[in-house]
Amino acid sequence: MAQGSGDQRAVGIADPEESSPNMIVYRKIEDIITKMQDDKTGGVPVRTVKSFLSKIPSVVTGTDIVQWLMKNLSIEDPVEAIHLGSLIAAQGYVFPISDHVLTMKDDGTFYRFQAPYFWPSNCWEPENTDYAIYLCKRTMQNKARLELADYEAENLARLQRAFARKWEFIFMQAEAQVKIDRKKDKTERKILDSQERAFWDVHRPVPGCVNTTEMDIRKCRRLKNPQKVKKSVYGVTEESQSQSPVHIPSQPIRKTTKEDIRKQITFLNAQIDRHCLKMSKVAESLIAYTEQYVEYDPLITPAEPSNPWISDDIALWDIEMSKEPSQQRVKRWGFSFDEILKDQVGRDQFLRFLESEFSSENLRFWLAVQDLKKQPLQDVARRVEEIWQEFLAPGAPSAINLDSHSYEITSQNVKDGGRYTFEDAQEHIYKLMKSDSYARFLRSNAYQDLLLAKKKGKSLAGKRLTGLMQSS
């Protein structure tokens, strides 16, 4: 079962280049793995182990693998056998079921053999869309062992922003995979989940682990065949060429065909359509940005009354901690919407303005989602339900206005809530506040009066500052 459980997902395997040195190495490793799994010729015993309240199917121990390598490959030094086992594990042929670090240990750690479908010799070239489908699929399955790690949740949020236009398609692909998986036997599904996870541990490793695919056969083949259609793990093909044909001097020069010219024209047309800016415009933008923020840069403009980091005067910190912001601070809120959201006093002032317009639920929802991303893992599910009931559920006391697309995605995400359940809804509310509420806040009497009051009260603030300095 461990060998064939992943075969049902095959949609087409690229023909390997048998003459490639890397492919020869892969074949040698696969010969070892095949013999290791052959019970008739004395392979490593694959067994089901009973745990506390469950069973762990189709596993072997690290000690069994190391001893088999020493016996069948005439290796005398256990350290050499462990090293060879780690090299095999680094390519994803065997993997530990308890963690994501692909190394071999000479102890009772449980390992599982990878399905041939996921072997490197099949020349998979997984794309970010494949990885997005995999992570999205994990969020749909209500199982503790499939819960996303922090780095995976961050990757999912990053991919969701990058593929915002076709996220619905990715979501549908993931949903279809989940439906297929649910029809499988429980034991088979458990093995397949671990094999799929191990595949991505090779191609999208845990931060800090070595990526063994940086210079492997897949990238070498892409250099030799830059125009070849890439195969996808989940059947999604990427046919668009993202870069110009790669010229390799060592390759024999062939005659240019009409198809080559057609693809080159398509590529050049795509480059022409790219949005470009004149260097003068870029320079003007940078100069304007620098002039706007120059008085807020302590390396250029000395802080008033003095920099607490290079003097013993902490009056500046006392001013910043006060609930009455300085003129500089109020002025900075008008630079961008992000500036007012970063400032606690600015958020309070903006919230008061929204309350006067009976739309404070937008900012409160945005802040609640920001706080959700920092919650401990055990509190996430409860907090997701609270946010849903307060802002999005039918008859919610502080209902926010979402478009149908964002609401539908959020409704699906809530079924298996995580830190990034409300990412789409939060982005929609952010844009709504930025384009509408924030612009009206800057034009409102509340902000203008606050700005003018700070200008008029500059001399009074100076006297108050002097008093603070004397008292300190």
Side-chain angles (χ1 to χ4, degrees):
M1 183 177 295
Q3 293 185 39
S5 59
D7 296 342
Q8 296 180 16
R9 296 189 179 185
V11 292
I13 298 177
D15 294 328
E17 294 181 1
E18 298 291 345
S19 60
S20 167
N22 284 2
M23 191 58 64
I24 294 173
V25 173
Y26 285 149
R27 291 305 184 197
K28 288 182 178 180
I29 295 176
E30 288 161 13
D31 288 341
I32 295 174
I33 295 296
T34 302
K35 293 176 182 178
M36 202 178 291
Q37 296 181 82
D38 191 352
D39 295 333
K40 296 180 181 179
T41 58
V44 180
V46 179
R47 57 187 181 274
T48 297
V49 180
K50 292 184 179 180
S51 183
F52 177 60
L53 291 175
S54 61
K55 294 181 179 180
I56 307 175
S58 302
V59 293
V60 298
T61 64
T63 301
D64 291 337
I65 295 177
V66 172
Q67 290 180 353
W68 189 93
L69 291 173
M70 293 180 66
K71 178 181 178 181
N72 291 270
L73 300 183
S74 301
I75 300 175
E76 297 181 358
D77 189 356
V79 176
E80 184 179 350
I82 294 172
H83 176 65
L84 176 59
S86 295
L87 293 177
I88 295 173
Q91 300 297 329
Y93 287 99
V94 293
F95 57 90
I97 65 171
S98 58
D99 57 44
H100 298 264
V101 182
L102 300 176
T103 56
M104 183 61 62
K105 299 176 183 177
D106 188 9
D107 55 21
T109 302
F110 290 129
Y111 289 82
R112 187 169 285 148
F113 290 106
Q114 181 61 282
Y117 175 73
F118 290 123
W119 282 356
S121 62
N122 289 332
C123 297
W124 287 119
E125 298 178 10
E127 300 294 326
N128 284 332
T129 51
D130 303 320
Y131 190 44
I133 292 171
Y134 166 69
L135 294 178
C136 189
K137 183 174 63 173
R138 290 257 302 273
T139 62
M140 298 178 184
Q141 296 172 329
N142 189 20
K143 300 173 186 175
R145 62 187 170 84
L146 294 175
E147 191 173 72
L148 295 182
D150 288 342
Y151 79 96
E152 291 177 316
E154 293 172 2
N155 288 341
L156 177 60
R158 193 178 300 113
L159 290 168
Q160 191 169 358
R161 289 192 293 270
F163 297 115
R165 294 186 177 180
K166 60 177 182 178
W167 190 255
E168 186 174 357
F169 170 71
I170 291 174
F171 185 86
M172 290 170 60
Q173 288 281 330
E175 201 171 33
Q177 286 293 327
V178 170
K179 290 180 181 178
I180 294 173
D181 289 345
R182 286 173 180 167
K183 296 178 181 178
K184 292 184 173 66
D185 177 71
K186 182 179 179 181
T187 302
E188 181 184 5
R189 189 166 66 246
K190 190 173 182 179
I191 294 173
L192 178 57
D193 289 338
S194 68
Q195 290 171 335
E196 195 174 14
R197 185 211 70 182
F199 173 81
W200 288 111
D201 283 343
V202 174
H203 294 275
R204 299 293 188 275
V206 178
C209 292
V210 177
N211 189 345
T212 58
T213 65
E214 283 299 323
M215 288 302 296
D216 68 341
I217 183 62
R218 287 167 289 279
K219 290 183 173 56
C220 294
R221 294 181 77 246
R222 279 204 297 271
L223 292 177
K224 295 179 181 179
N225 304 286
Q227 300 177 16
K228 184 175 181 179
V229 175
K230 297 177 181 178
K231 294 291 183 181
S232 165
V233 178
Y234 300 103
V236 183
T237 58
E238 296 286 345
E239 298 183 358
S240 59
Q241 182 180 342
S242 59
Q243 59 183 10
S244 57
V246 179
H247 175 65
I248 302 178
S250 59
Q251 295 293 320
I253 300 175
R254 64 182 181 85
K255 188 176 180 180
T256 303
T257 64
K258 291 182 180 179
E259 185 64 23
D260 294 335
I261 298 297
R262 190 178 296 111
K263 289 183 178 181
Q264 188 175 9
I265 291 173
T266 303
F267 171 75
L268 293 175
N269 286 333
Q271 297 299 310
I272 292 174
D273 293 337
R274 290 178 60 187
H275 180 65
C276 299
L277 290 175
K278 291 183 178 179
M279 185 58 68
S280 59
K281 294 293 183 182
V282 175
E284 289 176 6
S285 177
L286 289 174
I287 292 171
Y289 178 86
T290 304
E291 291 175 347
Q292 187 179 45
Y293 282 91
V294 65
E295 60 179 310
Y296 298 93
D297 191 336
L299 295 176
I300 300 175
T301 304
E304 294 181 1
S306 64
N307 190 336
W309 295 104
I310 59 177
S311 69
D312 295 330
D313 185 8
I314 61 172
L316 179 64
W317 287 344
D318 292 333
I319 294 173
E320 290 298 321
M321 290 174 62
S322 67
K323 294 184 178 180
E324 296 184 3
S326 63
Q327 180 190 357
Q328 263 193 330
R329 202 165 169 184
V330 175
K331 181 182 175 183
R332 187 167 181 169
W333 298 345
F335 290 173
S336 69
F337 186 45
D338 291 327
E339 290 290 349
I340 198 171
L341 290 179
K342 287 190 297 185
D343 192 326
Q344 177 63 50
V345 179
R347 289 200 304 269
D348 293 341
Q349 293 290 339
F350 186 50
L351 182 61
R352 291 195 192 99
F353 169 75
L354 292 178
E355 287 174 348
S356 67
E357 293 197 336
F358 304 101
S359 59
S360 61
E361 65 277 358
N362 289 334
L363 181 58
R364 287 191 286 111
F365 170 76
W366 188 89
L367 293 173
V369 176
Q370 286 294 100
D371 182 66
L372 171 65
K373 298 174 183 178
K374 305 173 185 176
Q375 291 293 320
L377 193 59
Q378 61 268 23
D379 299 336
V380 169
R382 174 184 58 79
R383 188 62 185 135
V384 166
E385 182 61 24
E386 291 175 354
I387 294 174
W388 171 261
Q389 292 297 334
E390 183 178 358
F391 297 102
L392 290 164
S398 302
I400 58 174
N401 186 18
L402 281 185
D403 63 283
S404 58
H405 178 69
S406 298
Y407 187 83
E408 184 179 352
I409 292 177
T410 306
S411 300
Q412 293 293 332
N413 293 344
V414 169
K415 294 178 182 178
D416 187 17
R419 289 193 178 96
Y420 299 92
T421 296
F422 302 101
E423 193 77 11
D424 279 271
Q426 187 189 31
E427 184 177 359
H428 178 81
I429 293 299
Y430 174 88
K431 292 178 179 178
L432 183 65
M433 291 192 295
K434 181 178 180 180
S435 61
D436 184 35
S437 303
Y438 174 64
R440 284 189 283 105
F441 171 72
L442 296 182
R443 296 193 301 267
S444 68
N445 293 332
Y447 178 74
Q448 294 298 328
D449 291 346
L450 190 63
L451 190 60
L452 291 173
K454 294 302 170 186
K455 289 182 179 179
K456 292 178 180 178
K458 190 174 182 180
S459 58
L460 182 61
K463 293 179 182 179
R464 187 160 52 248
L465 177 60
T466 305
L468 282 171
M469 293 174 64
Q470 291 175 352
S471 62
S472 64

